[in-house]
Amino acid sequence: MAEANILVGEDQFSCPVCLEILKDPVTTACGHCYCMGCIKNYWDQTDHTGVYSCPECRETFTPRPVLRRNTMLAEVVEKLKQTGFNPPPAQSYAGPGDVPCDFCTGRKFKAVKSCLTCLASYCETHVKPHYEGAAFKRHKLINAIGNLDQKLCAEHQKVLEVFCRTDQTCICLLCSDQEHKSHDTVSAETERTGKQKQLGETQTEIQQRIQERLKEVEELKQAVESLKRSARREMQESEKIFSELIRSIEKIHTEVIELIGANKKVAVNEAEGLMKKLEHEIAELRRRNAELKQLSETEDHIHFLQNFQSLCAPLEAGNLPSITVNTDIYFGAVRKAVSELKSHIEDFCKGELVKINKTVNETAVYTLGSRSSDRCLKVNEVAVYSLQAPEPRNRAEFLKYSCQLTLDPNTANRKLFLSEGNRKVTRRSETQPYPDHPERFDSKAQVLCRECLSGTRCYWEIEWNREWVSIGVTYKGISRKGDRSCLFGYNDKSWSLHCSGSRYSAWHNSNESLVAAPHSPRIGVYLDFNAGTLSFYGVSDTMTLLHRFQTTFTEPLYPGFRLHWHSDSTVAICQLN
């Protein structure tokens, strides 16, 4: 008869306390087995009570049982050790970030459940009594969590199971009957149910936002890829067109050079042929002149008379016409024509380049819209435009770039009073009790905003009253002390618009530009940092441009205001969303 194969698991011979293979196994009266040392240590901890329980089933014994080695079980364990056990899986031990079992000794296993009644955490082995023992049926098990002591009331050391809606805090039952007796209290489970619904709504909103953002990211990716393909295609086509243009210019260049060369060759050949004919005629004339000289010198009268008729005959007109030489001969006119061609081409290219540049700049990868819960571009957010978006044309388009600004109390002069959540500043006659601060304007009634503006488009509006106010932006390094050097617009670090009745003036680096426009109690300020423009508008039914600065901004900018000496003059930053 074949020997039966019996499958034995290591956990069947493991101590429930240390979870190791049994060492000197003993068996309690309830039938559970432990290492001799483990059960002794466990019962030593309860010696002061005089009641001893089984860690597995919680059966109690009085007095303390006498433990004896289970010889048969010890022999079985020894034989199984010789045949070999599979080592416990490494992942079952508690590692960094895991909750360790409170009942394991030595190397602790990872807890799988925590009991809110026992305020202890258990591994898979030590949690079994909670599932099997009747005494644990009312205990509340949850997935293992750490810091169970935080689930106790600090004052009464009772489990937190009530929620006080009045104080918005978790309390124990004793707290609900004492300090929180007159408060609105409910069970933690009831409050959790209500807040779970709210949490679900928030999760749904977040998931919806994630999906929207993922969709926008995907659309942006597709737009960028499309842009890359389009740009690559247009660059190739433009390269081809410019190559053809260059070849055309090179062809004209070659034709002009050849034309000059051919003209030179023809003119030189004709002149050289004419020179040969002239030289031949000169030679003939010299020969005849020599003969006449010889005849004039002869003493033989008869010879003179016989040859006179033939030698002194009238000169023939000759085959060559009269020649007038051009002493100012050169190809300067050709050079002039070529220079004019160059100028025409350059002027034409400049004009066409402006058109091309405008066409390219109007190709935007994306535009920024508004959301019900996120209507404005955050001030400190840097929006990267691969191609510049069009300039706003009406107030609705300006409002797409609206930003939230707040006044910085650390910069406010002590004659300025901030209110309405640091969105309004009033000039007061009495000194405000502001503490000393290195960024505070000490002599001029000026204040800056907290937010810095950089790398994006921003728009804000302010309302002002009384006789005079200065609205501007500045680099952070503007002087905070002294006289004119710290005024907005009186240095190279700031730009400002001074408003007084129906008269305006724009200032930068102490240079003034007067502006005539109707009085407007609301001023809109539009900053395009990358384009280097700062524009001021009178806001009513329409947007009236008062002044525009065009420059290059090299540092982040801080909006700021200066108020007239008149008491109670105010500036308020408008809420645009």
Side-chain angles (χ1 to χ4, degrees), residues 137-374:
K137 287 184 177 179
R138 293 187 178 182
H139 288 207
K140 186 171 183 180
L141 290 176
I142 61 172
N143 290 332
I145 59 173
N147 301 321
L148 284 172
D149 56 329
Q150 295 182 3
K151 306 298 182 292
L152 290 177
C153 172
E155 183 176 354
H156 302 109
Q157 295 301 307
K158 297 293 183 180
V159 177
L160 299 173
E161 48 188 327
V162 178
F163 184 79
C164 176
R165 289 176 173 172
T166 304
D167 294 337
Q168 290 292 302
T169 186
C170 295
I171 59 176
C172 68
L173 287 172
L174 287 177
C175 290
S176 64
D177 291 335
Q178 297 176 11
E179 296 91 340
H180 299 261
K181 186 174 183 180
S182 61
H183 293 184
D184 181 11
T185 59
V186 294
S187 68
E189 184 177 359
T190 301
E191 185 66 17
R192 164 69 184 271
T193 302
K195 291 193 180 298
Q196 187 74 33
K197 181 180 179 181
Q198 182 180 348
L199 185 143
E201 293 173 353
T202 303
Q203 284 182 308
T204 301
E205 183 181 349
I206 290 175
Q207 289 297 327
Q208 183 179 355
R209 179 67 64 86
I210 290 173
Q211 293 303 317
E212 290 175 357
R213 290 308 195 192
L214 287 174
K215 182 180 178 182
E216 290 171 355
V217 168
E218 186 60 32
E219 290 175 350
L220 271 175
K221 285 182 180 178
Q222 294 177 4
V224 168
E225 288 303 317
S226 176
L227 176 72
K228 289 179 179 179
R229 290 193 299 270
S230 177
R232 193 161 47 242
R233 181 174 61 253
E234 295 306 319
M235 283 191 288
Q236 292 172 351
E237 291 299 320
S238 297
E239 183 70 25
K240 180 179 177 182
I241 293 171
F242 277 110
S243 297
E244 292 175 354
L245 178 60
I246 291 171
R247 285 196 295 270
S248 298
I249 293 175
E250 288 177 344
K251 182 179 179 182
I252 295 173
H253 169 231
T254 302
E255 290 177 354
V256 170
I257 297 301
E258 290 177 351
L259 178 63
I260 294 173
N263 189 279
K264 179 198 73 173
K265 184 176 181 180
V266 171
V268 169
N269 288 340
E270 289 179 352
E272 288 177 347
L274 183 58
M275 283 190 291
K276 287 182 180 180
K277 290 180 181 180
L278 289 173
E279 288 171 353
H280 177 72
E281 183 174 342
I282 291 170
E284 286 296 320
L285 290 172
R286 285 176 175 170
R287 181 186 59 76
R288 187 172 178 182
N289 184 55
E291 290 177 350
L292 288 174
K293 181 179 180 183
Q294 185 180 2
L295 181 62
S296 66
E297 294 176 350
T298 184
E299 296 179 354
D300 186 348
H301 303 301
I302 298 301
H303 176 73
F304 179 87
L305 295 173
Q306 289 176 340
N307 291 281
F308 174 80
Q309 190 67 29
S310 60
L311 293 177
C312 291
L315 293 175
E316 297 179 358
N319 296 326
L320 294 176
S322 175
I323 299 174
T324 301
V325 178
N326 182 8
T327 59
D328 194 29
I329 182 172
Y330 70 103
F331 286 96
V334 177
R335 184 173 69 247
K336 181 180 179 182
V338 173
S339 296
E340 291 177 353
L341 174 62
K342 172 178 171 290
S343 298
H344 290 324
I345 292 176
E346 288 178 345
D347 292 341
F348 177 78
C349 288
K350 287 178 182 178
E352 293 303 309
L353 184 59
V354 171
K355 296 179 183 178
I356 294 171
N357 187 56
K358 182 178 179 182
T359 302
V360 171
N361 286 340
E362 289 179 351
T363 306
V365 176
Y366 64 89
T367 56
L368 296 177
S370 61
R371 295 180 181 273
S372 58
S373 59
D374 187 13

Side-chain angles (χ1 to χ4, degrees), residues 369-439:
S370 61
R371 295 180 181 273
S372 58
S373 59
D374 187 13
R375 295 186 180 179
C376 73
L377 182 67
K378 299 299 183 295
V379 173
N380 289 326
E381 178 183 350
V382 179
V384 180
Y385 292 84
S386 58
L387 293 173
Q388 190 64 41
E391 187 85 4
R393 292 165 294 182
N394 52 53
R395 187 165 181 264
E397 293 184 359
F398 278 106
L399 290 177
K400 293 179 181 179
Y401 303 99
S402 62
C403 59
Q404 299 292 339
L405 299 178
T406 54
L407 301 169
D408 186 357
N410 291 332
T411 66
N413 180 270
R414 289 187 171 90
K415 292 295 183 181
L416 299 180
F417 174 74
L418 306 186
S419 59
E420 296 184 8
N422 291 341
R423 295 179 62 84
K424 182 178 181 180
V425 55
T426 304
R427 177 72 182 255
R428 293 285 178 84
S429 56
E430 62 273 12
T431 301
Q432 303 302 311
Y434 296 137
D436 291 336
H437 197 281
E439 295 186 0

Side-chain angles (χ1 to χ4, degrees), residues 57-200:
C57 65
R58 300 294 180 176
E59 183 176 343
T60 59
F61 310 103
T62 305
R64 177 169 176 165
V66 177
L67 298 172
R68 290 184 176 85
R69 190 170 186 266
N70 188 327
T71 306
M72 181 183 294
L73 184 59
E75 291 176 356
V76 172
V77 170
E78 189 61 32
K79 288 182 180 179
L80 288 174
K81 283 183 179 178
Q82 294 175 3
T83 60
F85 279 115
N86 291 327
Q91 64 269 22
S92 64
Y93 288 111
D98 292 330
V99 179
C101 175
D102 292 322
F103 281 81
C104 290
T105 60
R107 188 178 180 186
K108 294 181 178 292
F109 278 85
K110 181 170 63 174
V112 294
K113 293 291 182 180
S114 294
C115 177
L116 295 181
T117 306
C118 303
L119 290 178
S121 298
Y122 303 92
C123 62
E124 291 182 357
T125 300
H126 288 132
V127 79
K128 288 179 179 178
H130 276 75
Y131 294 124
E132 299 170 357
F136 299 103
K137 287 184 177 179
R138 293 187 178 182
H139 288 207
K140 186 171 183 180
L141 290 176
I142 61 172
N143 290 332
I145 59 173
N147 301 321
L148 284 172
D149 56 329
Q150 295 182 3
K151 306 298 182 292
L152 290 177
C153 172
E155 183 176 354
H156 302 109
Q157 295 301 307
K158 297 293 183 180
V159 177
L160 299 173
E161 48 188 327
V162 178
F163 184 79
C164 176
R165 289 176 173 172
T166 304
D167 294 337
Q168 290 292 302
T169 186
C170 295
I171 59 176
C172 68
L173 287 172
L174 287 177
C175 290
S176 64
D177 291 335
Q178 297 176 11
E179 296 91 340
H180 299 261
K181 186 174 183 180
S182 61
H183 293 184
D184 181 11
T185 59
V186 294
S187 68
E189 184 177 359
T190 301
E191 185 66 17
R192 164 69 184 271
T193 302
K195 291 193 180 298
Q196 187 74 33
K197 181 180 179 181
Q198 182 180 348
L199 185 143

